[in-house]
Amino acid sequence: AQSVTQLGSHVSVSEGALVLLRCNYSSSVPPYLFWYVQYPNQGLQLLLKYTTGATLVKGINGFEAEFKKSETSFHLTKPSAHMSDAAEYFCAVSRGGFSGGYNKLIFGAGTRLAVHP
Amino acid sequence: EAQVTQNPRYLITVTGKKLTVTCSQNMNHEYMSWYRQDPGLGLRQIYYSMNVEVTDKGDVPEGYKVSRKEKRNFPLILESPSPNQTSLYFCASSLLGQGNTGELFFGEGSRLTVL
């Protein structure tokens, strides 16, 4: 079975500081990995995804994540935090396949990012 | 504009009063799914559908029903709501088939309170 663990339910950084949100997964098959962001009172928006190929993935708003198979990790980073980055971030894994397994995302519990001046 | 639309966005109801949350997508997606979001638990899948008249249970289906009579619509039905169904609900959709990477497109959410 697949699962996702996000370390730290709350992370607080200063504006301009490095953002690091941790995600570890377990999967018995090569995973597809995603980071979604949820701003207050909004739905989830895709930040970035890893499917195959290059393990360093760049997303929107300056975020990137690196797939490390040996560590079963997919941590999200941004070099310099902005106040507008304050939101909840979800890591997710899918199993892949054409039967609909592609599309079943297993989500982590989420990490709420606070950015202070 | 490509979107997934849910209604209502907010609803307060009482135990046992049947309700339906509608979901509609305009992207011609085959796959649609319902998730509930609870603090500390992330999002958990309730039901999903791979096409018209094809639905199946997710991880937390108890107390819910769905139907898929048209490709664009996937309503979530609570026949007899209970307080433990108080939650934030999300509808999502995506393509199926070759080239699909499983990315889901989400609606804005429906916050349901059952008293």
Side-chain angles (χ1 to χ4, degrees):
Chain A
Q2 294 177 302
S3 66
V4 175
T5 302
Q6 291 183 239
L7 296 175
S9 59
H10 291 82
V11 170
S12 182
V13 300
S14 300
E15 192 172 20
L18 171 72
V19 175
L20 171 60
L21 304 183
R22 298 177 186 275
C23 172
N24 288 89
Y25 70 91
S26 69
S27 178
S28 57
V29 297
Y32 286 11
L33 294 158
F34 304 81
W35 276 100
Y36 280 84
V37 60
Q38 184 182 27
Y39 299 104
N41 299 314
Q42 294 187 26
L44 279 75
Q45 177 183 358
L46 183 70
L47 268 182
L48 50 79
K49 63 186 177 189
Y50 168 78
T51 55
T52 58
T55 56
L56 182 61
V57 180
K58 295 186 185 301
I60 61 172
N61 301 338
F63 285 93
E64 61 182 37
E66 186 171 11
F67 169 58
K68 291 187 176 180
K69 184 178 178 181
S70 61
E71 299 178 6
T72 60
S73 69
F74 191 57
H75 302 330
L76 181 70
T77 60
K78 182 174 180 177
S80 177
H82 192 271
M83 298 294 287
S84 61
D85 294 327
E88 188 155 22
Y89 293 79
F90 292 93
C91 182
V93 62
S94 77
R95 187 167 62 86
F98 299 138
S99 66
Y102 260 150
N103 306 80
K104 178 177 180 178
L105 297 187
I106 306 296
F107 286 86
T111 298
R112 188 168 297 279
L113 175 67
V115 182
H116 51 85
Chain B
E1 180 189 353
Q3 59 186 4
V4 179
T5 303
Q6 298 178 225
N7 280 294
R9 294 286 313 279
Y10 302 91
L11 179 63
I12 300 174
T13 189
V14 296
T15 298
K17 186 176 181 182
K18 179 179 178 180
L19 68 92
T20 299
V21 185
T22 64
C23 173
S24 181
Q25 51 91 7
N26 63 1
M27 296 170 279
N28 202 34
H29 285 167
E30 296 89 357
Y31 184 93
M32 297 186 73
S33 181
W34 278 101
Y35 283 83
R36 60 178 288 173
Q37 181 183 3
D38 301 291
L41 296 177
L43 283 80
R44 294 176 293 166
Q45 190 183 53
I46 303 171
Y47 269 94
Y48 68 95
S49 169
M50 292 173 62
N51 217 323
V52 175
E53 302 293 0
V54 181
T55 64
D56 207 348
K57 296 177 181 178
D59 296 317
V60 288
E62 294 78 20
Y64 304 95
K65 287 174 57 178
V66 293
S67 68
R68 188 92 181 272
K69 296 186 171 65
E70 304 166 284
K71 194 173 186 179
R72 63 183 290 123
N73 295 324
F74 191 45
L76 179 70
I77 303 155
L78 286 73
E79 293 271 0
S80 182
S82 63
N84 65 12
Q85 293 178 297
T86 293
S87 188
L88 179 58
Y89 292 87
F90 286 101
C91 182
S93 72
S94 72
L95 290 167
L96 283 178
Q98 187 106 19
N100 170 30
T101 59
E103 175 187 350
L104 289 177
F105 295 83
F106 284 85
E108 293 195 321
S110 297
R111 185 168 294 281
L112 170 65
T113 301
V114 183
L115 302 176

